[in-house]
Amino acid sequence: MGKIEELLVNRGLYDSVDISIDDLDELEKCLSKRDYVGNTIDCFCKQCGTNRVFEYATSEIHEETGIMRINIFDDVSGKMRIPKKEETFNSYLNKRYVLTYRCTRDKGHAILFDLIVTDDKIIKIGQYPSVADLVIPEIAKYKSVLGTQYRELSKAVGLFAHGIGIGSFVYLRRIIEKLVFDKYSEVADRISIPSEEFEHQKFDVKIETLIEFLPNILVENKNVYGIVSKGIHELSEDECLEMFPYVRAGIELILDDLLAERERKAKEKMFEKFVAQKTGELRK
């Protein structure tokens, strides 16, 4: 995934990516009015209700921020010449673009992105449907695992979509805490650590205590709790916003493991019940 696609699909409002002349190919692919074969993004389609491939349709360049012009004629002779790479790159800067992508399943379904390109950054200043509109349906599958904590995840996503990084981290940390404490409550009678002692342990030690019962992805990356805590207490909004997609992805990996475990147990129970029932019938 290119940096511009990452900005479009995964980043919230007022987030940005750095650009340089080395990114010219991607700039041309994403911002030019010309048609580029294969310029697509993968994201949730609100109207279809599932993930779809969206194809680039057009980019609108606002007049008040300048129109993309490349002088391809020699001023004296009028002959065609190939623009220098620097000229081409500069032609994309200091402008505002509205990008339209259309669902390849139904062209009537569209996503719009509003961007400002400065000398060295692309900033996302608008999007419809919103990041929250696209992401929240995707995370609905975690309701069965999170229970009431599902609200924490949806709030985190909503805050991120509105450019609030530190606040979103508060809710992500609560989710990690709840997952660990819930697991302790579930297995407390199988370990020799009393609740008072467990509560006073450092959080990474808590995870070590439950190493046999927690998903491997959390055990192997137990420092994520410290990273999120540092974000809340020491880092800026922008730093938290930059890290949010990665922390969210990690939490979803943990939830995926818990969801798979729950589904497996349900299937095992159904299968065992079936075998026991049929075994009883055969003995009659």
Side-chain angles (χ1 to χ4, degrees):
M1 179 183 294
K3 63 170 65 176
I4 298 179
E5 182 179 351
E6 167 73 15
L7 176 66
L8 299 181
V9 176
N10 293 327
R11 302 296 185 91
L13 293 185
Y14 308 110
D15 208 341
S16 65
V17 293
D18 295 332
I19 55 169
S20 69
I21 196 168
D22 295 332
D23 302 305
L24 179 57
D25 288 345
E26 193 174 358
L27 285 170
E28 289 191 307
K29 180 179 179 181
C30 295
L31 302 183
S32 173
K33 281 183 174 292
R34 292 171 291 175
D35 293 331
Y36 282 85
V37 177
N39 182 7
T40 59
I41 58 175
D42 297 318
C43 65
F44 188 83
C45 179
K46 187 176 180 181
Q47 289 93 333
C48 290
T50 188
N51 286 322
R52 295 292 188 204
V53 175
F54 280 75
E55 186 176 28
Y56 168 83
T58 186
S59 63
E60 173 188 342
I61 305 170
H62 285 228
E63 297 285 342
E64 65 271 18
T65 53
I67 300 175
M68 182 181 64
R69 285 196 188 116
I70 303 175
N71 181 14
I72 60 173
F73 292 97
D74 183 278
D75 291 337
V76 178
S77 64
K79 294 181 179 180
M80 292 284 289
R81 65 176 175 82
I82 300 174
K84 292 179 180 179
K85 188 174 182 179
E86 291 79 3
E87 287 181 304
T88 307
F89 173 71
N90 290 337
S91 69
Y92 287 97
L93 306 181
N94 301 305
K95 294 178 174 62
R96 180 183 173 197
Y97 299 82
V98 177
L99 309 183
T100 302
Y101 283 80
R102 297 196 178 278
C103 175
T104 52
R105 184 67 178 268
D106 187 330
K107 299 294 185 182
H109 303 166
I111 299 178
L112 278 68
F113 301 99
D114 200 349
L115 309 174
I116 286 180
V117 181
T118 68
D119 288 331
D120 58 1
K121 291 182 183 297
I122 300 179
I123 307 165
K124 180 159 70 171
I125 63 170
Q127 176 177 333
Y128 180 81
S130 71
V131 174
D133 286 336
L134 301 182
V135 173
I136 287 178
E138 286 186 335
I139 63 176
K141 63 181 179 180
Y142 300 122
K143 283 183 179 180
S144 62
V145 177
L146 289 171
T148 57
Q149 284 293 109
Y150 173 73
R151 290 178 296 179
E152 310 287 339
L153 183 56
S154 61
K155 285 179 180 178
V157 169
L159 288 173
F160 169 76
H162 289 86
I164 302 172
I166 297 173
S168 69
F169 266 37
V170 170
Y171 289 104
L172 293 182
R173 187 172 70 171
R174 289 180 185 176
I175 293 170
I176 299 171
E177 290 172 341
K178 186 72 161 47
L179 290 173
V180 171
F181 278 100
D182 281 356
K183 182 57 68 174
Y184 172 78
S185 297
E186 180 184 329
V187 303
D189 58 341
R190 298 162 62 183
I191 59 178
S192 59
I193 306 295
S195 60
E196 185 175 345
E197 180 180 342
F198 182 78
E199 288 177 6
H200 285 87
Q201 288 178 338
K202 291 184 177 180
F203 204 82
D204 59 342
V205 178
K206 288 182 171 67
I207 294 175
E208 287 290 340
T209 299
L210 300 171
I211 191 170
E212 296 181 22
F213 308 102
L214 291 171
N216 287 336
I217 188 69
L218 176 55
V219 173
E220 294 171 359
N221 298 275
K222 60 186 178 182
N223 291 335
V224 65
Y225 183 82
I227 293 171
V228 174
S229 293
K230 183 175 181 178
I232 294 170
H233 297 295
E234 299 180 29
L235 301 184
S236 66
E237 291 283 0
D238 288 343
E239 287 172 314
C240 290
L241 288 171
E242 183 178 353
M243 293 193 299
F244 181 91
Y246 305 100
V247 178
R248 176 196 149 201
I251 289 176
E252 289 183 0
L253 285 171
I254 296 167
L255 297 176
D256 286 337
D257 283 355
L258 294 174
L259 190 60
E261 179 186 1
R262 175 171 293 195
E263 291 175 350
R264 180 179 178 83
K265 286 182 177 179
K267 288 179 181 179
E268 286 177 349
K269 186 175 181 180
M270 178 182 67
F271 178 64
E272 289 168 358
K273 182 178 179 180
F274 165 79
V275 171
Q277 178 183 344
K278 294 302 177 183
T279 300
E281 291 176 0
L282 291 173
R283 288 174 178 171
K284 290 180 180 178

